[in-house]
Amino acid sequence: MIKRTPTGTAYDVTGTGGPCVVLVHGLGLNLQSWRWQVPELAKTYCVITFDLYGHGNSAKAPSPPSLSLFSGQILELLDLLGISTAAVAGFSLGGMIARRFAMDHQDRLWALAILHSAHARDAAAQDAIQARVHQARKDGPGATVEAALQRWFTDEFRAANPATMDLVRTWIMANDKEAYAPNYQVLVDGVTELVAPRPPITTPTLVMTADEDYGNSPEMSRAIAAEIPGSSLVILKKLRHMALAESPEAFNQHLTAFLASAKPPG
């Protein structure tokens, strides 16, 4: 059942026992994008999903969107629910937010998963994503949705799964134009503050992407993992950005194995 915090964050809690896991979705998506993971995780954990500001059923951002603002949503949820420590798993933009949370509130973490998330880009890649932000600001999320689906799913999966394409397309198209572009800008501006994290991240960490995720590449994930001592690195094969939906079995296998190895409290 979807609930709301005093600041307008829509959230859901699934599962009744076990340590808590907070799942942070990607740009333009919503808490439903974890539908392929929640049933499996809820067998063992208390799973918290929520809509980032300006997404899904949450309120618009109360101040200019930033990684710190979104990180504060996680802290608010933990405090509201009386949770002292949680594992935080973030996908794409959510992976950037999870790293910001780890830098700001490491004492509230027992595990961290950075999934299909960006690291430092070269100038060409940075210009390309900035161009998409300008396009979205001018024409709304519909201007970039078809190109996103091509980047996010393999050609074979798109052709064989039109219902999934329609579902993800609907999620993206539901974004308010005025909120979408400022949230998108966080993908451009937020990466640099995560490079060589200070203070260092010492929480048990999984870094995972796919070999065909060109915007959140294996090279980026290797660089992220190299900056977090003792982290685990997984590169999924023959998948693109939305591996969590295209191959949930492989995605979930690595995520659940990591969480089990991270020795949660209690």
Side-chain angles (χ1 to χ4, degrees):
M1 178 179 177
I2 304 299
K3 300 179 181 179
R4 292 175 71 87
T5 71
T7 59
T9 295
Y11 71 97
D12 191 21
V13 181
T14 308
T16 56
C20 286
V21 177
V22 179
L23 303 177
V24 191
H25 66 75
L27 175 75
L29 303 175
N30 56 61
L31 60 80
Q32 292 295 327
S33 62
W34 294 106
R35 62 193 297 159
W36 298 277
Q37 283 69 51
V38 169
E40 183 65 27
L41 291 173
K43 296 175 183 177
T44 307
Y45 304 101
C46 168
V47 182
I48 301 166
T49 53
F50 70 101
D51 291 333
L52 294 167
Y53 288 127
H55 294 76
N57 292 305
S58 283
K60 291 183 180 179
S63 58
S66 67
L67 294 181
S68 293
L69 178 71
F70 292 131
S71 170
Q73 281 190 281
I74 302 173
L75 184 64
E76 179 195 32
L77 280 170
L78 295 183
D79 288 346
L80 180 69
L81 297 171
I83 297 167
S84 58
T85 59
V88 174
F91 170 77
S92 194
L93 172 62
M96 295 170 62
I97 295 165
R99 272 178 280 165
R100 182 71 261 175
F101 185 83
M103 293 160 65
D104 294 340
H105 307 289
Q106 195 152 200
D107 60 318
R108 305 298 294 271
L109 283 174
W110 62 262
L112 175 67
I114 303 163
L115 310 168
H116 297 259
S117 195
H119 198 53
R121 306 180 186 94
D122 61 27
Q126 191 79 342
D127 288 347
I129 192 170
Q130 184 65 73
R132 294 199 293 272
V133 175
H134 291 326
Q135 189 178 14
R137 182 175 290 112
K138 178 176 180 288
D139 300 317
T144 59
V145 63
E146 297 306 321
L149 292 175
Q150 292 178 22
R151 293 193 307 273
W152 291 2
F153 296 95
T154 63
D155 298 344
E156 296 79 7
F157 187 86
R158 290 201 315 276
N161 295 273
T164 301
M165 298 304 101
D166 287 343
L167 177 63
V168 177
R169 185 182 290 111
T170 298
W171 290 339
I172 298 173
M173 293 296 292
N175 282 271
D176 179 88
K177 177 183 176 181
E178 300 306 314
Y180 187 63
N183 285 336
Y184 210 149
Q185 187 67 43
V186 178
L187 278 177
V188 181
D189 298 337
V191 169
T192 55
E193 70 188 76
L194 302 174
V195 176
R198 291 291 180 270
I201 296 172
T202 58
T203 302
T205 300
L206 169 68
V207 183
M208 182 163 69
T209 194
D211 59 355
E212 296 182 23
D213 190 338
Y214 304 115
N216 307 271
S217 65
E219 291 74 20
M220 287 183 173
S221 285
R222 292 187 185 101
I224 294 170
E227 294 181 346
I228 303 176
S231 60
S232 301
L233 175 67
V234 173
I235 309 297
L236 300 170
K237 303 299 183 184
K238 299 181 179 179
L239 291 166
R240 292 186 184 172
H241 190 50
M242 285 283 282
L244 80 173
E246 181 163 346
S247 184
E249 298 84 2
F251 187 97
N252 294 351
Q253 175 187 351
H254 291 289
L255 180 57
T256 56
F258 162 71
L259 291 173
S261 71
K263 298 180 180 179

